[in-house]
Amino acid sequence: MKRRNFIRNSSQFGLAISLLGIYGCKETKKKEEGEAEQVQAEVAAPFFKLSLAQWSIHRMIMDEGVDPYSFAEKAKAWGFSGLEYVSYLYHTELDAAGYSQEAMDAFVAKCNEESKKHGLENLIIMIDRQGDLATADAVERKKAVENHYKWVDAAAAMGCHSIRVNLAGSTVPEEWMASSVDGLSQLATYAKDKNINIIVENHGGLSSNAAMLAEVMTEVGMDNCGTLPDFGNFCIRKEDPTDWRSACVETYDIYKGVEELMPHAKAVSAKSHDFDANGDETEIDYVKMLQIVKDAGYSGYIGVEYEGGKIGEEEGILATKDLLLKAAKEIG
C-alpha cells in the first residue's frame, strides 16, 4: 500500500514538474517574443512624432461645411497625435464677434474639450489676417503686433508651444529685414512670459528667402523666436504679386532653404501636393528632406500639410503620412 501511494505520489510530482516546465517554457517564449516585438517597434519608430496641420482639411471646412471643431476627432482617426490649428478656419464666428474675449474664450474651451476627449496634444495655432509684422510703417507694425496678442493668450490657454506668424510687409530687402526684427522682437517679448514661441514659416515673398529669414532670427536673438521650415513654400516672387495663384517666377532652393532654417526650427511642416505611382511626392524628395531634418538633430513633431487638389483631402493626408514613415524607415 505504501509503495502504491509512493508511486502514485511520485507520478503526480513528476506530472507537476512536467507541467511547470511546459508553463515555464511557454512563459519564457512569450517573454522573448515580447522583447523581440519591443525591439522591432523601437527600430521601426521614426525619429519624429506626427501632427496634422488643419489647413489639410480646409476644403472640407470651407467648401463642404465640415465643423472645424471636428479637427481633433479626424486627426485621431487618421493616426496623428498632435494638432496644428489654423486661425483663418474659425474667422467666420470670430469676425462676427469682433474677436471679443468671450468669443476667444469659447474658441479655446471648445478646442481644449475636443483635444482632451480624443487624447491629442495642442501644438501650434497658425495665424493669418492679423496685419503685417514686417511693414515699414511703425504704427501699422505695432498694431499688427498687438493684433497677435490675443492669439498668444489663446495658445497659452490651450497648452500650445507656439503661434506661427507671417512676415509680410515691405518688399525692399533691407527694409524688410529691419521691420521683421522689430516686429518679431516686440511680439516675442510679449509671448515670453507666457511660455509661447513665435515661429515664422517660409510663406512667400522675402520670408521664403531662407538665408534672409535665418539672419532675421539671429538678429532677434530670443530663445522663444524661431522658424517653422516648410518643405514647399519657397516662392519668393509671383508673376502677379497681388494674386497668390499666379505663376512663381523666382524660387529659392527648397533643400538649401530647409537646411538653413533648421538651426532655428521649433516645428517642421511636411508640405505635399501630388504623388506618383510609388507614393512619392512629385516635386519634393522626402528622403532627402527628412535626412536634412534628422541631421539637424530635430526630434519633435512633423506636421502633415496636404495642399493638393488631384485627390481628396483625406487620401492626400494619409498618403503624406505614409510617405513620411516610408522615408524615415529608408534613412534609418
Side-chain angles (χ1 to χ4, degrees):
M1 176 69 92
K2 287 182 180 178
R3 180 177 175 78
R4 213 179 296 145
N5 287 339
F6 174 77
I7 292 172
R8 184 168 66 247
N9 292 339
S10 297
S11 298
Q12 289 173 344
F13 180 74
L15 178 61
I17 292 297
S18 298
L19 289 173
L20 283 172
I22 293 169
Y23 177 78
C25 286
K26 284 183 177 179
E27 285 303 299
T28 300
K29 186 178 180 183
K30 198 183 294 183
K31 183 181 178 183
E32 289 173 350
E33 287 174 350
E35 289 173 349
E37 287 174 1
Q38 184 179 348
V39 170
Q40 187 175 359
E42 289 172 356
V43 170
F47 66 88
F48 54 87
K49 293 181 282 187
L50 284 164
S51 53
L52 180 62
Q54 196 174 20
W55 190 249
S56 300
I57 59 170
H58 74 275
R59 285 197 300 275
M60 289 186 194
I61 294 169
M62 296 167 65
D63 300 338
E64 301 171 22
V66 168
D67 183 357
Y69 291 107
S70 66
F71 178 39
E73 180 182 10
K74 291 184 180 300
K76 177 71 172 180
W78 294 329
F80 294 91
S81 56
L83 301 171
E84 301 177 9
Y85 298 85
V86 174
S87 69
Y88 180 73
L89 297 177
Y90 301 87
H91 82 92
T92 301
E93 65 180 85
L94 295 175
D95 280 355
Y99 290 88
S100 67
Q101 188 63 55
E102 184 180 6
M104 292 299 296
D105 288 346
F107 162 79
V108 167
K110 186 64 174 173
C111 289
N112 282 342
E113 178 186 353
E114 290 300 307
S115 61
K116 183 178 180 180
K117 182 195 302 182
H118 299 287
L120 272 67
E121 187 176 358
N122 295 330
L123 302 174
I124 302 169
I125 309 177
M126 299 186 179
I127 314 301
D128 300 295
R129 299 172 68 243
Q130 296 297 303
D132 294 340
L133 291 171
T135 178
D137 186 320
V139 174
E140 287 301 309
R141 187 164 66 248
K142 179 65 174 175
K143 183 179 177 182
V145 168
E146 292 174 349
N147 283 345
H148 284 79
Y149 287 174
K150 59 183 173 289
W151 289 109
V152 170
D153 296 343
M158 289 166 61
C160 296
H161 62 70
S162 303
I163 65 167
R164 185 276 278 145
V165 303
N166 297 309
L167 281 183
S170 176
T171 56
V172 179
E174 296 79 9
E175 197 173 70
W176 177 85
M177 289 273 295
S179 299
S180 295
V181 170
D182 179 65
L184 289 176
S185 296
Q186 290 185 56
L187 186 53
T189 297
Y190 177 82
K192 187 175 182 179
D193 291 339
K194 298 174 185 291
N195 295 316
I196 295 296
N197 299 311
I198 305 302
I199 58 177
V200 182
E201 182 180 357
N202 45 301
H203 213 196
L206 293 176
S207 73
S208 289
N209 183 317
M212 287 179 62
L213 182 54
E215 189 175 342
V216 165
M217 292 299 135
T218 301
E219 288 292 319
V220 172
M222 296 181 68
D223 290 340
N224 70 319
C225 188
T227 60
L228 192 166
D230 182 291
F231 290 177
N233 283 346
F234 282 100
C235 179
I236 296 174
R237 187 163 55 91
K238 291 278 191 179
E239 188 174 50
D240 179 357
T242 64
D243 183 3
W244 63 271
R245 294 166 297 186
S246 65
C248 186
V249 294
E250 183 182 356
T251 304
Y252 201 86
D253 183 278
I254 63 175
Y255 307 104
K256 180 173 181 280
V258 170
E259 186 172 3
E260 290 172 332
L261 295 178
M262 281 308 302
H264 307 280
K266 297 184 182 298
V268 173
S269 183
K271 179 64 58 62
S272 62
H273 290 97
D274 195 16
F275 306 89
D276 61 23
N278 295 321
D280 294 319
E281 222 283 338
T282 56
E283 298 178 1
I284 302 168
D285 183 337
Y286 263 56
V287 172
K288 187 173 181 178
M289 276 297 190
L290 277 191
Q291 190 67 63
I292 291 170
V293 173
K294 186 177 183 181
D295 288 348
Y298 184 82
S299 59
Y301 277 94
I302 294 182
V304 164
E305 189 173 47
Y306 172 67
E307 209 174 46
K310 292 186 179 179
I311 57 178
E313 288 181 320
E314 179 176 352
E315 188 180 354
I317 288 165
L318 294 175
T320 309
K321 175 190 165 190
D322 290 345
L323 177 54
L324 277 171
L325 294 175
K326 181 178 77 170
K329 187 176 180 181
E330 188 168 332
I331 66 176

